[in-house]
């Protein structure tokens, strides 16, 4: 039987974390916890923001080594801006995800970070892409990631419905984050959620004590 | 998509014994999903039915719900050999104790017998066990004895490799005060979700409801498991 804990082979600060992105009718919600830990024993930051805006309607969330993630997202942000200027139009979410993928795949030996890219563009509307550790790129209606995601696979499989409303989706994402933060010791703090639609971007922060409570709390 | 979890396997081009296939050299493990829920009047226990030796499924219809006494069962996860041996030993000890007492044994007694053995031999054993049953003193009870040998009573408990994936589902869907049918439904759903995600869990879902009146066993076949609208 496998051990339940994950050996963190990440040296330094890691975002042992829970991240997710879910499409709904008209937009996408991307969310994460806010804890940065070192070695599973020390919380370096209780309020780190893991949702990075790489363009007007495109966000990324990061899992893994914080240093690697910051380096990659900074490079990606630059490349996506340049691309957008050259094309004279807002970038496609797929383009942003591809940029992340190229960086992860070409540097797969050195990097230890996984990403979820989510956003809205005029061509395909709301989209979610996941870039895994080795550089695989997948498009999905919703996805979860980070160490805390293991505990909510069952919940998200059971509760996700396509074409939810904004409120339903917000509730789904909040519940999923709260459940994961309740079980994973390297996820915690506040829940950061960003709602991205054609009309704009809205940042929702739910402090720890306002998160939904479950039967044993 | 998934968290970084890498099993470091040294890929040997030539294994030590070429006469025996690689999967037969691996230890038999019940990489598994097991769970138990208390309700007013008894307990419901459940497990998947897959036993693996490495990548080969040695038994796809395993029964991991082992009777220890008339109204006490245990759910086994970990090494199949270790858990069978411990369960056999505890069955003997409990049977003997019950005869001496001239009374049906308590679930807490059975659980503590498991704990004593799992704790004493903690370095040698790889066994995660959930003990559940009904007795006259405290009704339905679930005790979990994970690897290492601790014991704790919980209203609902999950175990095995597949359990990681259903903690969120369990936390959000369990409500105190469920009926027996609700508990069975809850267990079926949870086992299905775990079997979908965990490579070491699968097959059929075996369930049992233990009450004062006895044990009622059920099997939910693969094609009868609930379907979740999904990616």
């Amino acid at each position: 039987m496998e051990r339940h804990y994950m050996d963190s082979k990440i040296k330094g600060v890691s975002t042992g974390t829970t991240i997710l992105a879910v499409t709904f009718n008209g937009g996408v919600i991307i969310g994460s916890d806010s804890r940065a830990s070192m070695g599973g024993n020390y919380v370096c930051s209780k309020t780190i923001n893991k949702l990075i805006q790489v363009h007007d309607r495109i966000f990324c969330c990061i899992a893994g080594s914080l240093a690697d993630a910051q380096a990659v997202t900074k490079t990606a942000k630059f490349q996506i801006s340049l691309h957008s200027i050259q094309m004279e139009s807002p970038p496609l979410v797929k383009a942003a995800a591809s940029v992340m993928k190229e960086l992860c795949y070409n540097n797969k030996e050195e990097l230890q970070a996984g990403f979820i890219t989510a956003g809205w563009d005029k061509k395909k509307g709301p989209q979610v892409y996941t870039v895994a550790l080795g550089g695989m790129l997948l498009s999905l209606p919703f996805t979860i990631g980070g160490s805390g995601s293991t505990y909510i696979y069952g919940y998200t499989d059971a509760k996700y419905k396509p074409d939810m409303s904004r409120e339903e989706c917000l509730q789904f994402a909040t519940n999923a984050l709260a459940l994961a933060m309740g079980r994973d010791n390297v996820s915690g703090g506040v829940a950061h959620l960003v709602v991205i639609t054609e009309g704009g971007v809205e940042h929702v922060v739910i402090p720890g004590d306002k998160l939904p409570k479950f039967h044993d709390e | 998509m998934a968290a970084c979890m890498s099993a470091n396997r040294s890929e040997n081009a030539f294994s030590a014994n070429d006469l025996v296939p690689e999967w037969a050299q691996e230890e038999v493990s019940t990489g598994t999903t097991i769970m138990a829920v208390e309700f007013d009047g008894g307990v419901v226990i459940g497990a998947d039915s897959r036993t693996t030796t490495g990548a080969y499924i040695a038994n796809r219809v395993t029964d991991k719900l082992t009777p220890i006494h008339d109204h006490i069962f245990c759910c086994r996860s970990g090494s199949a050999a270790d858990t069978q041996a411990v369960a056999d030993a505890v069955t003997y000890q409990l049977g003997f104790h019950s005869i001496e007492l001239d009374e049906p044994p308590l679930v807490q007694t059975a659980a503590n017998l498991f704990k004593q053995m799992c704790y004493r031999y903690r370095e040698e054993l790889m066994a995660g066990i959930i003990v559940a049953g009904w007795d006259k003193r405290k009704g339905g009870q679930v005790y979990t004895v994970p690897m290492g040998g601790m014991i704790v009573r919980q209203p609902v408990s999950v175990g095995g490799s597949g359990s990681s994936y259903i903690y969120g589902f369990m936390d959000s869907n369990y409500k105190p005060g469920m009926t027996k049918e609700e508990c069975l439904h809850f267990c079926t759903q949870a086992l299905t979700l775990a079997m979908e995600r965990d490579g070491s869990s699968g097959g059929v879902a075996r369930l049992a409801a233990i009450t004062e009146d006895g044990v009622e066993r059920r099997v939910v076949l693969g094609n009868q498991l609930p379907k979740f609208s999904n990616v």
Side-chain angles (χ1 to χ4, degrees), chain A residues 151-204:
Chain A
Y151 306 104
I152 48 173
Y153 271 105
Y155 177 78
T156 52
D157 281 346
K159 284 291 191 276
Y160 171 75
K161 302 187 307 281
D163 280 332
M164 288 187 277
S165 73
R166 183 184 176 279
E167 279 60 40
E168 282 179 316
C169 193
L170 210 46
Q171 190 60 54
F172 171 72
T174 313
N175 284 349
L177 283 173
L179 288 164
M181 288 173 11
R183 285 291 179 178
D184 184 24
N185 64 331
V186 288
S187 298
V190 308
H192 285 290
L193 295 153
V194 173
V195 185
I196 308 169
T197 56
E198 177 175 9
V201 161
E202 185 199 332
H203 202 134
V204 179

Side-chain angles (χ1 to χ4, degrees), chain A residues 27-208:
Chain A
V28 58
I29 291 183
I30 189 168
S32 79
D33 71 307
S34 71
R35 180 174 289 183
S37 55
M38 209 144 92
N41 288 341
Y42 174 62
V43 176
C44 313
S45 171
K46 297 184 275 189
T47 52
I48 187 180
N49 186 6
K50 303 176 193 180
L51 304 176
I52 316 284
Q53 183 161 24
V54 292
H55 209 267
D56 293 347
R57 298 275 186 285
I58 307 177
F59 274 71
C60 258
C61 48
I62 51 185
S65 156
L66 196 41
D68 288 346
Q70 285 181 345
V72 173
T73 47
K74 214 164 172 185
T75 313
K77 203 168 171 179
F78 163 74
Q79 289 187 1
I80 293 164
S81 302
L82 188 57
H83 170 76
S84 171
I85 289 168
Q86 288 177 327
M87 305 302 281
E88 288 181 19
S89 76
L92 298 178
V93 188
K94 189 164 189 177
S98 285
V99 168
M100 312 288 301
K101 180 227 19 178
E102 282 296 292
L103 290 166
C104 287
Y105 182 67
N106 292 336
N107 298 297
K108 59 160 53 160
E109 309 301 328
E110 285 90 11
L111 291 176
Q112 258 198 324
F115 301 88
I116 294 179
T117 308
W120 184 94
D121 65 43
K122 214 159 68 161
K123 187 168 171 191
K124 280 191 176 168
Q127 297 147 74
V128 166
Y129 293 87
T130 176
V131 178
L133 226 55
M136 162 184 88
L137 175 63
L138 266 186
S139 167
L140 297 158
F142 79 94
T143 188
I144 57 181
S147 58
S149 68
T150 351
Y151 306 104
I152 48 173
Y153 271 105
Y155 177 78
T156 52
D157 281 346
K159 284 291 191 276
Y160 171 75
K161 302 187 307 281
D163 280 332
M164 288 187 277
S165 73
R166 183 184 176 279
E167 279 60 40
E168 282 179 316
C169 193
L170 210 46
Q171 190 60 54
F172 171 72
T174 313
N175 284 349
L177 283 173
L179 288 164
M181 288 173 11
R183 285 291 179 178
D184 184 24
N185 64 331
V186 288
S187 298
V190 308
H192 285 290
L193 295 153
V194 173
V195 185
I196 308 169
T197 56
E198 177 175 9
V201 161
E202 185 199 332
H203 202 134
V204 179
V205 178
I206 305 176

Side-chain angles (χ1 to χ4, degrees), chain A residues 1-2 144 150-151 154 157 183, chain B residues 1 126 161 164-165 168 197:
Chain A
M1 187 179 98
E2 292 76 43
I144 57 181
T150 351
Y151 306 104
D157 281 346
R183 285 291 179 178
Chain B
M1 189 154 54
M126 194 167 81
S161 57
S164 319
Y165 304 105
R197 286 290 180 179

